[in-house]
Amino acid sequence: MAREFARVGVVGLGTMGAGIVEVFARGGIEVVAVEVDEASATHGRETLEASTQRAVDRSKLATDDREALLGRVRISTNLDDLADVDLVVEAVPERLELKAEVFAALSKVCGPETIFASNTSSLSITELSVRTERPHQVVGMHFFNPAPVQALVEVVRTVVTDPEVLSDVTGLAVQLGKSPVVCGDRAGFIANNLLFTYLNQAVGMFESHYAGREDLDAAMRYGCGYPMGPLALMDLIGLDTAYEILDTMYRQSRNQRHAPAPILKQMITAGLLGRKSGRGFYTYAAPGSPEVVADSLTPPPPGQEGGDQRSVQRVGVVGTGTMATGIAEVFAKSGYDVVVRARTEAKGEGVVAGIRKSLEKAVVKGKLSESARDETLARVRPTTTFDDLTDCDLVVEAVAEDLEVKQAVFGALDDVVKQGAILATTTSSLPVVECAAATQRPDDVVGMHFFNPASVMKLVEIVSPITTAPDVTSTVRAVTAKIGKHPVLCGDRAGFIVNALLFPYLNDATAMLEANYATADDIDSAMKNGCGLPMGPFALLDVVGLDVSLAIERSLYMEFRVPGFAPAPLLEHLVTAGRLGRKTGQGFRDYQKK
């Protein structure tokens, strides 16, 4: 039978400790909370009272229930008061020796059946367990901040943790209304291990001037649906906290991708810690304020960069697939005359039909008037010849993702399109400079990577190889904003921003599963519930397609030659076996065939 926890203890009443106390007390469990002195105990009580009062004010907790909750909590400054508890959760500051001292003292005070848990986010549970006389009864119980709100709890096992202890603690987390995941004892556990590796890579992109802070953050918000961009999230977490987590991960793993980006140490030394200090990657209205204010790094709005820009009135689109159709629709809806070059008349008419179908849906939903639909369709003209693109000011290539095919298109465009026109490719993975090299006007060639579906997705990555003229980049940035998209600027290297940050994270998750560190369900749950991501990594891989993901990961590895970017063998094996994700009915999970 599952163990009953009638009384639990919490050591440490900081923000996290007080939140954990509230979680247990909300669950109807008596709590004995211990602090180091009366002042700290008083502060902990005030934190608990303020948190529960906010819940009452927001109608999340009844006044009577609040009083009952507070009545279940006893605050002490004496560890001896924990003698008869069933479980103790340690939530003192993140220092190994301090936590070890607490566990050693608890081992002498508590009864032989008491389970010990640490709320550490990165330190070794094994190292803490050996400081006790009962290492088989020690687990990690990592709550996320704020503990009363966040659903995720990482339950961390060591090589000697008793399976019954693990089961009992996991069951308790469920009883408390949490979503527990079980993992092994590795620095960062699941969520932080995957999250901070990604954040560190984004910081490296910023440090190398590959992309600006606003563009990095916007790319992940609009391209992946993340609730915050990586640099804004680093500011929220605190750069000093992030550095310590990364440093701890690196010391355990010796993985170069966990080594904190050098700029972090520089910023910490300068006192730029993020929101709490008023400055980090961004500047804030005041210390602790979430309001970002303009500073010397804030870029001008699109179209206001200064310098010359080119006039764009007529747009050409080469291609007839889903992406080309969406791009043509976006430009036509924004008032541009659009010429779509197709290989056959039937394919050209197919593009018009696809746009009409999309516009009809918008009309039915009340998002577009019938007159606006007709005006948009009137702006689209299909053709089967490149000669009809002669007078276009901007031509967007959206053919198959094959370099030879794209180079042939750019060679044909170079022969017919007027001088001064901008030639753009919407490639998601090929080098833009290779397309530019197929022309006699490489300074007029730029990447304009729309996301699928182009009519819906807001992000456009503007990719400028070393050959692109500054006025071309500036013009395309302004045009992108005019068509209602969010432009982000980056250099010409594999993955651009989004894929270069997303797919190493997906690969890390795959390697974690392959090592039997945690299950696919637990890894997905950790990233959804702990980090607020719209999908877990394996659910996303199955949607993208494992073959597509493998191709992107291979291109990233060949470009950067970083060992951690080499595709996990598990992914390669699944692709070889034909398990490509939802499109084949089997990937990391099995799906019902329609």
Side-chain angles (χ1 to χ4, degrees), residues 26 51-63 65:
R26 276 176 177 261
S51 174
T52 52
Q53 185 58 53
R54 284 195 299 273
V56 170
D57 294 341
R58 296 170 183 171
S59 300
K60 303 289 186 181
L61 185 68
T63 301
D65 290 339

Side-chain angles (χ1 to χ4, degrees), residues 36-298:
V36 67
D37 54 39
E38 289 294 344
S40 300
T42 299
H43 183 267
R45 167 66 73 173
E46 291 172 349
T47 301
L48 178 62
E49 290 176 347
S51 174
T52 52
Q53 185 58 53
R54 284 195 299 273
V56 170
D57 294 341
R58 296 170 183 171
S59 300
K60 303 289 186 181
L61 185 68
T63 301
D64 290 346
D65 290 339
R66 175 178 181 264
E67 293 304 318
L69 183 159
L70 295 175
R72 285 191 284 270
V73 178
R74 178 161 65 95
I75 298 179
S76 168
T77 57
N78 188 348
L79 282 178
D80 290 342
D81 290 336
L82 299 174
D84 61 348
V85 299
D86 302 305
L87 165 76
V88 179
V89 179
E90 164 276 310
V92 301
E94 198 78 344
R95 298 198 303 273
L96 181 62
E97 284 307 314
L98 176 58
K99 291 178 182 288
E101 289 176 10
V102 170
F103 275 98
L106 290 172
S107 187
K108 294 179 173 59
V109 169
C110 297
E113 299 302 317
T114 301
I115 296 173
F116 295 160
S118 173
N119 185 58
T120 180
S121 61
S122 59
L123 298 176
S124 169
I125 303 299
T126 303
E127 288 192 46
L128 295 174
S129 72
V130 298
R131 305 298 182 96
T132 75
E133 298 173 359
R134 59 189 84 174
H136 62 288
Q137 290 176 217
V138 179
V139 296
M141 196 173 188
H142 179 213
F143 291 81
F144 283 67
N145 192 30
V149 176
Q150 292 279 18
L152 181 66
V153 175
E154 291 177 317
V155 181
V156 186
R157 65 179 185 272
T158 72
V159 292
V160 296
T161 300
D162 188 320
E164 287 189 10
V165 168
L166 189 69
S167 176
D168 288 341
V169 172
T170 303
L172 173 61
V174 172
Q175 177 188 329
L176 295 171
K178 300 299 183 183
S179 298
V181 299
V182 176
C183 60
D185 186 19
R186 177 192 296 180
F189 310 136
I190 298 175
N192 282 353
N193 193 297
L194 294 176
L195 175 66
F196 280 89
T197 310
Y198 147 73
L199 295 177
N200 199 39
Q201 186 183 348
V203 173
M205 281 187 175
F206 172 79
E207 184 174 25
S208 66
H209 301 286
Y210 175 70
R213 62 189 183 186
E214 285 88 356
D215 286 347
L216 284 165
D217 282 353
M220 300 312 289
R221 288 193 295 114
Y222 293 122
C224 296
Y226 285 9
M228 294 184 74
L231 301 186
L233 181 55
M234 287 286 275
D235 275 356
L236 177 62
I237 292 168
L239 273 60
D240 50 345
T241 301
Y243 183 93
E244 290 299 326
I245 291 173
L246 284 165
D247 190 50
T248 299
M249 288 168 55
Y250 176 71
R251 281 188 274 111
Q252 286 194 30
S253 69
R254 297 301 183 210
N255 182 340
Q256 189 61 34
R257 294 173 61 221
H258 296 160
I263 195 174
L264 288 176
K265 192 60 176 286
Q266 299 168 30
M267 295 176 73
I268 292 167
T269 303
L272 308 180
L273 306 182
R275 281 193 192 181
K276 59 188 174 186
S277 67
R279 280 190 65 192
F281 288 103
Y282 294 90
T283 300
Y284 299 89
S289 170
E291 181 187 352
V292 175
V293 297
D295 58 21
S296 61
L297 296 181
T298 303

Side-chain angles (χ1 to χ4, degrees), residues 550-569:
L550 179 59
I552 294 172
E553 289 179 11
R554 283 174 172 167
S555 71
L556 289 170
Y557 177 62
M558 292 305 297
E559 177 99 347
F560 298 104
R561 309 300 171 99
V562 174
F565 284 10

